[in-house]
Amino acid sequence: MRRAWTLVLAGLLVPGCSSPAWDDHDYELKAAASAEAVGSTVEAVRLAVGGGGRLTRPYLTVVLTNAAEQVQTVNDQFGAVQPPSERAEALGGRLLKIGEQAEKAVSALLVQVRRDRVEDPAAAARELAGLGESLRRFQDEHE
């Protein structure tokens, strides 16, 4: 019985690791949804970091840890989608580049908070706002 449950669970998880894109339009929709997910997370981090120091360090650590994991998960899931054409591959490369920048920015903030504090909250908020804007533009272009 345990083996059956293990097989069922594995069968449910494996398709989640990668998903096909049937055509360029489908791939574009997946890219737009991924941009939206990362953009939402980046915006939440921007609000948390730019909040004028109102959040406690332990709380900010939790927020940033969850955000870093979320951005990485979205990037990994979208990266596992096979682009159906060279055009789609270029589009995916653009999104993954922005997603990797977001992942690095959030991870760098997490390291700063774990060590002491965000060194320059205003600069971090500006960087995150720029990344968020890039993700929104990408999403709007490909929905």
Side-chain angles (χ1 to χ4, degrees), residues 2-71:
R2 262 177 90 164
R3 184 161 193 244
W5 280 111
T6 302
L7 292 173
V8 168
L9 182 60
L12 291 173
L13 292 177
V14 170
C17 295
S18 67
S19 59
W22 304 111
D23 57 26
D24 282 359
H25 179 70
D26 184 43
Y27 189 81
E28 242 181 309
L29 292 176
K30 289 175 186 288
S34 296
E36 180 180 21
V38 173
S40 293
T41 303
V42 165
E43 181 63 15
V45 170
R46 185 188 68 77
L47 291 171
V49 169
R54 292 185 306 226
L55 298 179
T56 64
R57 186 171 156 226
Y59 185 78
L60 192 53
T61 300
V62 170
V63 168
L64 292 173
T65 299
N66 290 339
E69 290 172 359
Q70 199 167 6
V71 170

Side-chain angles (χ1 to χ4, degrees), residues 33-124:
S34 296
E36 180 180 21
V38 173
S40 293
T41 303
V42 165
E43 181 63 15
V45 170
R46 185 188 68 77
L47 291 171
V49 169
R54 292 185 306 226
L55 298 179
T56 64
R57 186 171 156 226
Y59 185 78
L60 192 53
T61 300
V62 170
V63 168
L64 292 173
T65 299
N66 290 339
E69 290 172 359
Q70 199 167 6
V71 170
Q72 181 181 17
T73 297
V74 172
N75 287 343
D76 290 347
Q77 286 177 346
F78 181 72
V81 178
Q82 183 176 352
S85 69
E86 288 181 21
R87 178 187 163 279
E89 188 173 354
L91 175 106
R94 246 181 70 215
L95 177 58
L96 289 172
K97 182 177 178 183
I98 300 168
E100 287 170 5
Q101 290 171 338
E103 191 174 336
K104 285 179 185 176
V106 173
S107 295
L109 289 170
L110 177 57
V111 168
Q112 289 178 31
V113 168
R114 285 181 176 163
R115 288 184 179 160
D116 183 29
R117 61 183 168 71
V118 175
E119 294 167 9
D120 187 351

